[in-house]
């Protein structure tokens, strides 16, 4: 007789977490149309417990994306507009003198939230940029020798404008490495842009009204579900091979860090969850190598003259490094949908047959 195991109260299986994540994506897509791929990347970062850098042109919906995710996930939301005169204390908070008690009291800054939009992060000086570094890495803020924990979950979605250089400050490599992945949204296709304009006219309101589908506790449970996703030894070796390739490529001055490997593995597990699987396949790693690694490498100076992009270099490495052709030792127990005949995940799982 087969025994069916049920998750403990407050926990989710990978399949249950994937179902909730897809529902959140569908809800966010009501506000941010035609950007399913970018939305999925942000959702993967939320599941994997990391932060997102959105680097793209103005007016493409970056702020709307962050606000929509906060609403659909049921997370507190705050926005910081980074400017050249912004101080570190404007981000983290500062002590002030309370005249009623005669004591110094810490007043939390806007970083004390669950989803923070760091808008135009490259417009503020490095000292203020660094105020986010401890918060992003340690989920805490230290002021005057006292450590203040941030709420959990804590997600930073930062935006950067790549077309204006006057009055901007390039993000240092140490801070770029703290972002789990980088997203580029791009312009909408003509048909999708027309549909977006028609939807705006039909609802007679600036933005769609979204519904909270989860809460902070459920977001943490969705993250915990990733630990039930299997990663085979061959796939671990494949990730390490990709990292090693970045460190030995003649086009790259600095390769990806070990943190990049950890990010790629966790994002691959999140992609498996989003697909309704409890195991990772090579396609997961391939699909996420560029978003997870391209912002962690440094090109050689001469490549800037040739207008070579780090995304192109990483994509070329993914094409050249051999991927494993093994399947996980166990198949998923349940699946939310039956894969089609041309589904690459089904094809990967059938290799062992």
């Amino acid at each position: 007789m087969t025994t069916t195991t049920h998750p403990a109260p407050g926990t989710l299986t990978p399949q249950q977490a994937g179902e909730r994540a897809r529902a959140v994506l569908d809800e966010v897509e009501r506000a941010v149309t035609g950007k399913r791929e970018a939305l999925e990347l942000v959702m993967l970062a939320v599941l994997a417990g990391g932060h997102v850098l959105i680097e793209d042109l103005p007016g493409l919906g970056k702020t709307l994306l962050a606000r929509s995710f906060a609403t659909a996930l049921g997370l507190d939301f705050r926005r910081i507009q980074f400017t050249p005169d912004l101080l570190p204390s404007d981000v983290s908070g500062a002590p002030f003198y309370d005249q009623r008690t005669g004591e110094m009291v810490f007043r939390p800054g806007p970083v004390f939230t669950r989803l923070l939009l760091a808008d135009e992060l490259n417009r503020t000086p490095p000292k203020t940029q660094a105020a986010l570094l401890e918060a992003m890495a340690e989920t805490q803020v230290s002021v005057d020798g006292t450590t203040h924990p941030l709420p959990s979950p804590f997600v930073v979605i930062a935006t950067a404008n790549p077309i204006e250089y006057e009055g901007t400050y390039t993000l240092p490599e140490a801070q770029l490495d703290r972002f789990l992945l980088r997203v580029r949204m791009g312009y909408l296709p003509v048909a999708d842009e027309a549909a977006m304009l028609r939807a705006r006219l039909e609802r007679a309101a600036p933005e769609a009204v979204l519904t909270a589908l989860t809460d902070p506790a459920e977001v943490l449970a969705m993250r915990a579900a990733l630990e039930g996703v299997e990663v085979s030894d061959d796939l671990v070796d494949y990730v390490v091979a990709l990292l090693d390739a970045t460190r030995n490529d003649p086009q790259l001055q600095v390769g990806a860090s070990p943190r990049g490997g950890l990010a790629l593995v966790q994002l691959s597990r999140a992609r498996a969850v989003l697909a309704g699987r409890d195991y990772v396949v090579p396609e997961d790693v391939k699909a996420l190598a560029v978003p997870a690694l391209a912002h962690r490498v440094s090109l050689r100076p001469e490549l800037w003259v040739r207008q070579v992009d780090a995304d192109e270099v990483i994509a070329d490495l993914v094409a050249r490094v051999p991927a494993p052709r093994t399947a996980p030792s166990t198949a998923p127990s349940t699946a939310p949908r039956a894969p089609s005949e041309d589904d690459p995940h089904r094809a990967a799982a059938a290799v062992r047959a």
Side-chain angles (χ1 to χ4, degrees), residues 316-335:
D316 181 62
L317 290 177
V318 171
R320 289 193 282 114
V321 175
R325 295 185 57 82
T326 57
S329 57
T330 59
S333 55
T334 59

Side-chain angles (χ1 to χ4, degrees), residues 91-337:
V91 175
S92 59
F96 76 101
Y97 180 72
D98 189 342
Q99 293 182 344
R100 293 174 299 177
T101 62
E103 298 178 351
M104 298 298 291
V105 180
F106 176 69
R107 177 177 290 169
V111 74
F112 284 83
T113 187
R114 286 192 164 90
L115 197 152
L116 175 69
L117 172 61
D119 212 358
E120 295 188 299
L121 185 58
N122 60 336
R123 286 200 175 280
T124 200
K127 188 174 183 179
T128 305
Q129 291 175 359
L132 269 184
L133 195 60
E134 181 188 11
M136 293 171 60
E138 308 294 338
T139 322
Q140 64 184 27
V141 168
S142 297
V143 178
D144 287 348
T146 303
T147 299
H148 305 273
L150 295 173
S152 184
F154 174 66
V155 180
V156 174
I157 297 180
T159 70
N161 187 346
I163 63 172
E164 296 180 26
Y165 297 100
E166 187 174 344
T168 63
Y169 304 83
T170 303
L171 294 177
E173 286 77 6
Q175 186 150 353
L176 282 174
D177 203 39
R178 300 291 180 180
F179 289 101
L180 198 67
L181 54 77
R182 181 179 62 186
V183 179
R184 288 174 174 163
M185 299 180 68
Y187 289 112
L188 284 170
V190 173
D192 289 335
E193 190 162 6
M196 181 266 293
L197 295 176
R198 292 189 184 97
R200 166 63 181 89
L201 295 172
E202 290 173 1
R203 68 172 175 263
E207 296 178 9
V209 178
L210 304 184
T211 303
L213 301 181
T214 67
D215 55 35
E218 192 164 19
V219 172
L220 293 176
M222 291 164 66
R223 288 181 173 181
L226 266 64
E227 299 305 319
V229 177
E230 178 189 351
V231 183
S232 68
D233 289 340
D234 286 343
L235 283 174
V236 172
D237 293 339
Y238 178 49
V239 170
V240 173
L242 287 174
L243 298 177
D244 186 63
T246 67
R247 298 162 188 166
N248 293 289
D249 192 286
Q251 301 178 92
L252 298 177
Q253 191 170 19
V254 178
S257 66
R259 187 184 288 122
L262 292 170
L264 186 53
V265 168
Q266 282 301 96
L267 286 169
S268 298
R269 297 172 97 181
R271 189 173 187 266
V273 165
L274 195 60
R277 288 180 276 109
D278 56 8
Y279 60 95
V280 174
V281 296
E283 285 75 15
D284 296 325
V285 179
K286 292 179 180 180
L288 293 163
V290 172
L293 301 180
H295 64 290
R296 304 175 192 269
V297 301
S298 297
L299 295 171
R300 293 196 177 277
E302 60 269 21
L303 294 183
W304 291 100
V305 180
R306 293 162 47 192
Q307 296 184 333
V308 176
D309 189 72
D311 291 24
E312 300 173 8
V313 176
I314 299 298
D316 181 62
L317 290 177
V318 171
R320 289 193 282 114
V321 175
R325 295 185 57 82
T326 57
S329 57
T330 59
S333 55
T334 59
R337 58 180 176 86

Side-chain angles (χ1 to χ4, degrees), residues 18-139:
E19 184 178 356
R20 284 162 170 76
R22 290 190 296 274
V24 169
L25 281 173
D26 293 340
E27 184 70 11
V28 173
E29 201 169 23
R30 293 179 52 232
V32 186
T33 60
K35 293 296 175 186
R36 184 73 179 197
E37 184 176 352
L39 297 181
E40 287 182 355
L41 288 175
V42 175
M43 188 72 243
L44 295 182
V46 172
L47 290 173
H51 310 290
V52 181
L53 175 64
I54 305 179
E55 188 178 83
D56 220 320
L57 304 172
L60 297 182
K62 300 186 291 293
T63 302
L64 176 62
L65 179 149
R67 190 166 58 247
S68 300
F69 265 103
T71 301
L73 290 169
L75 302 180
D76 300 335
F77 174 76
R78 289 190 181 180
R79 174 179 178 268
I80 303 177
Q81 179 62 55
F82 283 86
T83 57
D85 60 349
L86 197 71
L87 300 175
S89 59
D90 296 329
V91 175
S92 59
F96 76 101
Y97 180 72
D98 189 342
Q99 293 182 344
R100 293 174 299 177
T101 62
E103 298 178 351
M104 298 298 291
V105 180
F106 176 69
R107 177 177 290 169
V111 74
F112 284 83
T113 187
R114 286 192 164 90
L115 197 152
L116 175 69
L117 172 61
D119 212 358
E120 295 188 299
L121 185 58
N122 60 336
R123 286 200 175 280
T124 200
K127 188 174 183 179
T128 305
Q129 291 175 359
L132 269 184
L133 195 60
E134 181 188 11
M136 293 171 60
E138 308 294 338
T139 322

